[in-house]
Amino acid sequence: MEILSFNLGNFRMIMAEFKSKKGIVSMPPFQLYMSFVDMRNLVQMIPEDKREGVTADYDSIHATVQGFGIGVKVIERVPYSLIGFEDDGSPFKFSLAMHFDSLADQYKTEFSIEVEAELNFMMKAVLGSKIKSALDQVVDAMV
């Protein structure tokens, strides 16, 4: 995890980077990429009882989680290899990149996720390991 620090008013903020483990998914890169390229597809991945208040269009998804509004929008699409996202009305700034890497076996993809988040030291202490764990869980669910 890489940490860059800077001051924001009286709060010391850090830009923390979190990387998931890499997993091999039994899908070709184009098929896995297409699952995530349209944000409306993500709504279908959310359990039915958690979908209330979730809205999505092709480029963005917004929801209320524990009383906080959170939004994510696509900022970059590199067909079949990368989708970049950033916050869109969230309580803190973050960006996320999903990597879809080709393998010698054309029916498999190496999948990983990277997150950069602007956090104060308290938030990093509380959320840091949870963010890493959540990223690894997403990769595990895809494998």
Side-chain angles (χ1 to χ4, degrees):
M1 171 175 45
E2 181 180 314
I3 300 174
L4 305 171
S5 66
F6 55 93
N7 286 320
L8 183 64
N10 292 329
F11 298 99
R12 184 163 174 83
M13 302 297 287
I14 58 171
M15 187 59 74
E17 184 177 294
F18 305 93
K19 294 183 179 186
S20 73
K21 60 185 173 182
K22 294 181 179 187
I24 307 299
V25 180
S26 295
M27 282 186 202
F30 77 88
Q31 187 177 1
L32 186 58
Y33 172 89
M34 294 305 289
S35 300
F36 293 100
V37 74
D38 184 339
M39 300 299 281
R40 294 171 293 199
N41 293 338
L42 297 181
V43 175
Q44 303 308 312
M45 297 177 190
I46 299 169
E48 186 88 26
D49 63 326
K50 307 272 190 225
R51 290 186 195 170
E52 186 176 337
V54 176
T55 60
D57 59 30
Y58 184 74
D59 290 318
S60 65
I61 187 167
H62 294 87
T64 301
V65 179
Q66 296 181 354
F68 291 100
I70 186 167
V72 177
K73 65 181 176 184
V74 175
I75 58 167
E76 180 178 19
R77 289 183 177 95
V78 178
Y80 319 128
S81 65
L82 171 76
I83 303 174
F85 305 88
E86 72 179 10
D87 67 282
D88 186 27
S90 299
F92 58 92
K93 292 189 176 288
F94 66 90
S95 63
L96 182 143
M98 290 183 164
H99 299 273
F100 310 89
D101 298 320
S102 299
L103 297 172
D105 181 340
Q106 65 182 349
Y107 298 105
K108 294 189 177 187
T109 304
E110 185 176 75
F111 178 68
S112 63
I113 306 168
E114 294 180 12
V115 171
E116 287 186 356
E118 184 180 297
L119 305 171
N120 65 37
F121 284 109
M122 179 65 82
M123 288 172 63
K124 183 188 172 296
V126 172
L127 298 176
S129 63
K130 292 179 183 182
I131 293 171
K132 169 74 169 120
S133 176
L135 296 176
D136 288 344
Q137 286 176 12
V138 171
V139 172
D140 287 342
M142 300 304 296
V143 175

